[in-house]
C-alpha cells in the first residue's frame, strides 16, 4: 500500500514564529488533504490539495504531485495552532494517513 | 447543511459487551468510510461502504467487527465482545461519490470508545 511519511514528528515554536511541515508519499494519488487535530480530538480539514498551492489566512499548502510531496506552511503561529497536523492521501477510495506532526506553540 | 454526525460522542463499555457506533453522512453523500485512531497514533482505514454495499473492508479486523450502511438510516459500526485494545477514537467520513475522483472526504467528530 501507499506509504505516507510526515516530518518533523514534533515541533515546538514560540508564538509568532513560522514553520513548514512536510508530507512525502510513495505513489501517485488521486487527492491529498491536510488536517489539524486539536487538543480536544476534533479533526479539522485545512486543505484539499491534490496539486498546486492554496492559501487560507496564515496557512498555505503546496503539493508537487510529480515529486510526491506536500508542504504545509504556518506563519505567525498562535497558541491555538497547537495540536497534531495530519496529511492524508487518497487512492482507490480510502485515505492513508501519516503519523502526524505534533505542534506546540508556546506563548 | 449539517456536517457528518456521529453518536454517541463518548461510549464506555465493559469487556465482553457490544459497542454500536452510528454515523450519519452529510446530506447528499452516499459514500461512508470508517477510520480508527488508537491512542497516540494516526488514523487507520477500516471500511468503505456505499448504500447497502461494502466496497472495501481491507482494514477491518477479521473477527468481532462489522459495518453496514442500510438503504435508510445511518451507517453502523458494530464491535462485539469488546476488549481493552478496542479503546480508540472511531471516525466516520463521507463523500458525495467515489473519493478517488478527487472528492474531499468530510470527517465527523468521532466516537471515543473506552473499554473498562
Amino acid at each position: 500500500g501507499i506509504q505516507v511519511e510526515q516530518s518533523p514528528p514534533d515541533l515546538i515554536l514560540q508564538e509568532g514564529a513560522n514553520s513548514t511541515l512536510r508530507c512525502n508519499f510513495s505513489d501517485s494519488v488521486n487527492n491529498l488533504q491536510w488536517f489539524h487535530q486539536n487538543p480536544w480530538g476534533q479533526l479539522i480539514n485545512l486543505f484539499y490539495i491534490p496539486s498546486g498551492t492554496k492559501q487560507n489566512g496564515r496557512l498555505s499548502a503546496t503539493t508537487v504531485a510529480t515529486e510526491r510531496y506536500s508542504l504545509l506552511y504556518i506563519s505567525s503561529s498562535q497558541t491555538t495552532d497547537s495540536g497534531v497536523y495530519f496529511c492524508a492521501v487518497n487512492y482507490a477510495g480510502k485515505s492513508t494517513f501519516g503519523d502526524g506532526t505534533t505542534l506546540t506553540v508556546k506563548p | 447543511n449539517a456536517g457528518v454526525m456521529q453518536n454517541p460522542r463518548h461510549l464506555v463499555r465493559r469487556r465482553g459487551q457490544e459497542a454500536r457506533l452510528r454515523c450519519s453522512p452529510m446530506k447528499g453523500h452516499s459514500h461512508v468510510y470508517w477510520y480508527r485512531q488508537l491512542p497516540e497514533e494516526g488514523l487507520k482505514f477500516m471500511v468503505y461502504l456505499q448504500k447497502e454495499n461494502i466496497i472495501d473492508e481491507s482494514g477491518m479486523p477479521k473477527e468481532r467487527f462489522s459495518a453496514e450502511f442500510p438503504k435508510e438510516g445511518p451507517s453502523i459500526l458494530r464491535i462485539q465482545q469488546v476488549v481493552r485494545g478496542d479503546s480508540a477514537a472511531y471516525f466516520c467520513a463521507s463523500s458525495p461519490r467515489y473519493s478517488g475522483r478527487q472528492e474531499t472526504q468530510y470527517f465527523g467528530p468521532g466516537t471515543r470508545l473506552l473499554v473498562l
Side-chain angles (χ1 to χ4, degrees), chain A residues 92-105:
Chain A
K94 60 189 179 186
S95 289
T96 300
F97 283 73
D99 288 336
T101 292
T102 301
L103 175 65
T104 303
V105 181

Side-chain angles (χ1 to χ4, degrees), chain A residues 31 37 41 48 92-95, chain B residues 33 35 37 98 102 105 112:
Chain A
N31 60 44
Q37 188 167 41
Y48 158 65
K94 60 189 179 186
S95 289
Chain B
Y33 315 81
Y35 295 83
Q37 184 179 29
Y98 173 40
Q102 300 194 354
Q105 290 189 6
R112 278 140 189 91

Side-chain angles (χ1 to χ4, degrees), chain B residues 32-96:
Chain B
V32 165
Y33 315 81
W34 285 94
Y35 295 83
R36 177 168 66 175
Q37 184 179 29
L38 295 171
E40 308 299 325
E41 295 187 10
L43 282 74
K44 304 289 189 227
F45 169 80
M46 299 180 75
V47 62
Y48 163 31
L49 309 106
Q50 292 180 26
K51 287 282 188 181
E52 300 184 281
N53 286 306
I54 297 175
I55 305 303
D56 182 346
E57 55 181 350
S58 59
M60 285 280 271
K62 300 300 180 191
E63 298 177 346
R64 302 188 296 107
F65 285 71
S66 62
E68 63 176 3
F69 189 17
K71 186 176 181 181
E72 301 291 338
S75 175
I76 307 287
L77 179 67
R78 181 184 179 202
I79 311 172
Q80 295 178 288
Q81 300 175 336
V82 295
V83 301
R84 287 204 174 124
D86 296 333
S87 296
Y90 292 83
F91 287 92
C92 167
S94 73
S95 69

Side-chain angles (χ1 to χ4, degrees), chain A residues 5-81:
Chain A
E5 293 184 358
Q6 291 187 241
S7 60
D10 299 282
L11 187 58
I12 300 174
L13 300 175
Q14 284 298 131
E15 200 169 23
N18 302 329
S19 61
T20 300
L21 282 59
R22 187 177 180 100
C23 172
N24 293 334
F25 45 97
S26 62
D27 208 340
S28 299
V29 296
N30 291 316
N31 60 44
L32 184 147
Q33 289 180 254
W34 281 97
F35 296 90
H36 174 216
Q37 188 167 41
N38 63 25
W40 297 270
Q42 187 181 10
L43 205 59
I44 300 164
N45 180 63
L46 298 176
F47 293 103
Y48 158 65
I49 184 165
S51 63
T53 298
K54 290 186 178 180
Q55 181 154 8
N56 184 3
R58 296 181 296 102
L59 274 60
S60 64
T62 294
T63 297
V64 183
T66 53
E67 297 186 21
R68 299 178 185 166
Y69 74 88
S70 182
L71 302 173
L72 178 69
Y73 305 96
I74 305 174
S75 63
S76 304
S77 58
Q78 301 176 358
T79 55
T80 51
D81 295 332

